[in-house]
Amino acid sequence: MTTVLNSLKPQALVSTLIPQTREHWINLLLILGLVGAALLAQYLGERFYVNLASRIAIIAMAAVGLNLALGFGGMVSFGHAAFFGLGGYVAGICAYHAFNMNPALGIGFLPEGTNQMLTIWAFTLVLSGLLGLAIGKISLGTSGVYFIMITLAFAQMFYYFGISWPAYGGEDGLPIYLRNELPLIDTNNRLTFFFVAAAMLLISLWLSQRLMGSRFGAALTMARLNPVRLATTGVDPQPIKLMAFVISAMITALAGALYADLNGFVGPNMLSWHFSGELIVIVILGGVGRLYGPLAGAILFVLMETWLGGVTRYWQFWLGLILLGVVLFARGGLLGLLAGRDKDV
Amino acid sequence: MSEPILRIEQLNKSFGALKATREVSLDLYPGEIHALIGPNGAGKSTLIGQVTGNLMPDSGRIFLAGEDITNRKVAERAQLGLGRSFQISSLAVELSVRRNVMMAIQATQGSSFRFWKPVRSDSALLEPTADILERLGLTERASTLVAELSHGERRLVEMACALALKPRVMLLDEPMAGMGSEGANRMVAFLAELKQEVPILLIEHDMDAVFQLADRVSVLVSGAVLAHGSSDEIRNHPAVREAYLGEETD
């Protein structure tokens, strides 16, 4: 009770909001930069760039999810596209049935879809949590390169399933004709939708921060650094890692649901291994296991994709060079480069 | 006399034709240090492996506080109160001294599935951690990364982690190995004090330390207990001097 009261005191609140270290300053600048860019683009009437900011926020959120497994838990998942796509298809399928007013899966007693984002998000969280539990449970029996391969295999199963299921567009994907809705908010407004995406990103960042600062986070860190040590203290590392994997899957899936709404479209490309790879690249670019690393990485990645991609078809060559540079010379990624070593030890 | 806290009964272990442990019986009473010495290849590590649960004996039994733990797993033995420090350092070197010890404290307090309260301000973790670090003289090194510590200091941190688990018995495998004389002295002083609280089964090469610390000494040669007695008895035991201390008896 006292701790709750303490955190409500104005001084305490202010001291948590004012950055204490260089890393905090950089984190704040990243967020303010993203929000500022969206506002500026809106002011200048640059619709494309408002949507680009939304895209960055959503991709960053997906990467925040992956960072929990990959960065903090040391589980190199090459299959997070499965969760991202799952979220996308939940949004797409719900909207499809709401638009056509026919029951889900053609079964009479199932509801006729929904265009409410809150309901869609709840579905997404439940389904991705269950899928994460199943994939995580099986995959965590392995480690190292086998873990990478088995998560990839699961994601590919969903990819080919998505391609070959004609009911929801198959290879062509599924359009969302009307963006799904939130109570009291006009999600069709570009800037408003950006703020929804940015708020979700901030919530997921805040959640990971709390999580990693808690006892669970301490155990997860030890499970990554020295699982034998954790076991000899009498704590089994497997359930800890599994829980982190499930939460990671849920965050990435929620980002997927937003992504489908942003684009008004969901297709098998959201399930493809390219996207799993891009998420890993983003996490590494930004700084593995750094809280705001995924945001830094997503900004860099999406801007390069947009601008370099406009200049040359071979932009991924340059991305590859940068990635090589990060892996060889800046192991802490962009955040490591800007903010130095992680001080929270 | 009170009951032994740890009792080993007629343990046998063979690797193929090699009998690594032969009919070994040992016990450890509250408040004492029982040292196990022997030349290289005498089977000390094999014996310790069976006590910790990493190796299964071919025959014989092991009791912890009267309970038969012969068939228990490593983690179960740890939970029953068998504490140990490793010969090879097994800390998370990327974390600070404090974080390493805090994790051990957390393990004793049960659930690690607490997702919200920050550990950095959790006095239920910080206070016991500070106590243990102070006892081992590590208070000033609390925020230092384990990677930056000397070898001797790492052994102290390991000791702190082992102690944090509130063991009923400590199994120390060469705690003085690789320590400078200053560190070794600190460790000896600490162990002499610790034994009142937690009885210790000590494997150590440093004979000065063994004779200084041990209430009883067992000498292991070729897998069997060659002699057993107080420090003085062992020091002057002719067969021990011949077999282990490498002296000709006159």
Side-chain angles (χ1 to χ4, degrees):
Chain A
M1 196 58 205
T2 49
T3 54
V4 173
L5 286 178
N6 277 339
S7 64
L8 289 179
K9 276 186 196 157
Q11 305 94 311
L13 198 64
V14 166
S15 74
T16 57
L17 289 180
I18 292 178
Q20 308 284 325
T21 64
R22 189 141 66 117
E23 183 159 358
H24 288 165
W25 276 110
I26 289 166
N27 296 345
L28 191 69
L29 282 178
L30 286 172
I31 291 168
L32 290 181
L34 184 63
V35 174
L39 287 173
L40 184 68
Q42 175 79 3
Y43 177 72
L44 296 174
E46 295 274 4
R47 297 168 175 183
F48 173 77
Y49 282 104
V50 181
N51 280 342
L52 195 68
S54 301
R55 186 173 141 80
I56 289 176
I58 293 168
I59 300 274
M61 180 177 166
V64 167
L66 178 64
N67 197 26
L68 206 54
L70 193 158
F72 295 117
M75 295 170 275
V76 184
S77 165
F78 199 2
H80 260 49
F83 307 120
F84 193 70
L86 175 72
Y89 271 99
V90 169
I93 291 172
C94 285
Y96 171 78
H97 287 287
F99 188 74
N100 294 312
M101 307 237 283
N102 65 352
L105 305 172
I107 303 170
F109 58 85
L110 282 178
E112 296 178 346
T114 175
N115 63 355
Q116 288 301 312
M117 280 191 194
L118 292 178
T119 317
I120 288 170
W121 294 349
F123 272 143
T124 302
L125 287 176
V126 170
L127 289 177
S128 60
L130 292 174
L131 184 64
L133 195 64
I135 293 182
K137 182 84 189 161
I138 296 167
S139 306
L140 278 172
T142 66
S143 62
V145 81
Y146 297 102
F147 184 86
I148 300 176
M149 285 301 129
I150 202 164
T151 48
L152 172 65
F154 274 115
Q156 287 303 88
M157 275 168 49
F158 281 91
Y159 174 69
Y160 286 110
F161 184 69
I163 278 192
S164 53
W165 198 17
Y168 296 114
E171 215 163 344
D172 298 330
L174 190 64
I176 300 175
Y177 294 110
L178 296 174
R179 190 172 276 173
N180 294 305
E181 293 167 4
L182 276 171
L184 306 176
I185 294 177
D186 175 18
T187 52
N188 281 308
N189 181 311
R190 272 183 199 80
L191 192 63
T192 314
F193 186 79
F194 165 77
F195 278 115
V196 171
M200 297 296 281
L201 168 66
L202 285 180
I203 290 172
S204 54
L205 280 169
W206 181 60
L207 277 176
S208 337
Q209 188 179 12
R210 290 300 301 218
L211 213 58
M212 290 318 296
S214 73
R215 290 185 179 215
F216 175 77
L220 183 63
T221 305
M222 196 55 94
R224 167 171 55 96
L225 295 176
N226 197 337
V228 176
R229 162 104 257 162
L230 192 62
T232 44
T233 61
V235 178
D236 188 353
Q238 289 304 78
I240 303 274
K241 291 179 108 173
L242 182 58
M243 178 58 94
F245 191 83
V246 169
I247 299 171
S248 157
M250 289 164 85
I251 294 176
T252 300
L254 205 53
L258 281 167
Y259 196 68
D261 259 325
L262 170 69
N263 297 328
F265 175 78
V266 49
N269 63 323
M270 278 179 73
L271 291 163
S272 104
W273 65 271
H274 294 100
F275 185 74
S276 297
E278 282 176 17
L279 277 186
I280 294 179
V281 167
I282 287 170
V283 169
I284 293 173
L285 275 181
V288 176
R290 301 297 281 256
L291 198 59
Y292 281 69
L295 177 54
I299 292 174
L300 187 68
F301 185 90
V302 174
L303 289 185
M304 279 188 65
E305 185 186 41
T306 310
W307 288 337
L308 271 181
V311 178
T312 163
R313 276 176 63 194
Y314 306 108
W315 72 277
Q316 279 169 328
F317 171 77
W318 303 103
L319 175 75
L321 278 188
I322 291 188
L323 195 62
L324 211 59
V326 165
V327 171
L328 289 178
F329 304 112
R331 295 294 289 273
L334 210 54
L335 270 183
L337 207 61
L338 296 173
R341 280 180 73 162
D342 198 350
K343 295 291 187 318
D344 185 24
V345 288
Chain B
M1 206 171 183
S2 57
E3 282 291 297
I5 186 86
L6 182 70
R7 196 165 90 240
I8 297 167
E9 275 183 1
Q10 296 176 321
L11 232 46
N12 280 293
K13 176 77 183 173
S14 301
F15 298 106
L18 176 72
K19 291 210 80 179
T21 305
R22 308 169 195 241
E23 294 291 315
V24 172
S25 296
L26 283 177
D27 49 16
L28 180 68
Y29 286 90
E32 73 165 350
I33 291 180
H34 189 155
L36 192 61
I37 63 173
N40 283 332
K44 298 188 299 275
S45 298
T46 308
L47 182 59
I48 288 305
Q50 293 168 77
V51 178
T52 57
N54 294 320
L55 290 174
M56 276 294 147
D58 298 334
S59 67
R61 298 206 293 171
I62 303 165
F63 296 90
L64 181 64
E67 188 175 344
D68 189 344
I69 59 164
T70 318
N71 296 314
R72 298 294 194 116
K73 285 190 277 187
V74 179
E76 289 173 327
R77 294 183 195 204
Q79 277 165 4
L80 286 169
L82 187 73
R84 67 173 302 196
S85 82
F86 291 81
Q87 204 172 0
I88 301 155
S89 195
S90 68
L91 301 162
V93 296
E94 299 90 338
L95 298 180
S96 66
V97 171
R98 184 186 292 115
R99 284 282 164 137
N100 270 283
V101 180
M102 272 168 83
M103 186 59 231
I105 298 274
Q106 180 178 321
T108 63
Q109 294 180 355
S111 179
S112 286
F113 284 94
R114 295 192 207 165
F115 300 97
W116 206 243
K117 194 173 174 190
V119 289
R120 60 193 309 168
S121 58
D122 190 343
S123 54
L125 290 177
L126 290 172
E127 280 167 19
T129 302
D131 288 348
I132 286 178
L133 290 181
E134 176 156 13
R135 283 185 67 180
L136 284 151
L138 288 166
T139 305
E140 279 161 24
R141 304 295 264 165
S143 302
T144 312
L145 295 187
V146 170
E148 292 162 11
L149 296 182
S150 70
H151 185 79
E153 285 175 315
R154 287 191 197 194
R155 312 258 14 184
L156 287 173
V157 178
E158 273 201 23
M159 183 71 74
C161 289
L163 266 186
L165 295 171
K166 295 214 173 71
R168 292 148 86 182
V169 178
M170 278 285 248
L171 219 61
L172 300 183
D173 198 353
E174 302 193 17
M176 265 73 103
M179 277 189 163
S181 63
E182 196 261 344
N185 288 338
R186 218 157 107 192
M187 186 64 97
V188 167
F190 177 74
L191 293 182
E193 187 195 305
L194 178 67
K195 71 173 186 179
Q196 297 304 331
E197 205 176 312
V198 188
I200 298 166
L201 185 62
L202 177 73
I203 292 96
E204 182 55 58
H205 267 128
D206 181 341
M207 284 304 130
D208 289 339
V210 165
F211 290 131
Q212 206 177 330
L213 277 170
D215 300 282
R216 288 188 297 152
V217 179
S218 292
V219 184
L220 207 61
V221 175
S222 309
V225 177
L226 177 74
H228 169 216
S230 73
S231 287
D232 285 340
E233 284 165 8
I234 293 298
R235 213 192 312 242
N236 301 316
H237 197 293
V240 173
R241 293 178 77 97
E242 188 177 1
Y244 180 46
L245 299 175
E247 291 176 21
E248 295 292 321
T249 41
D250 35 26

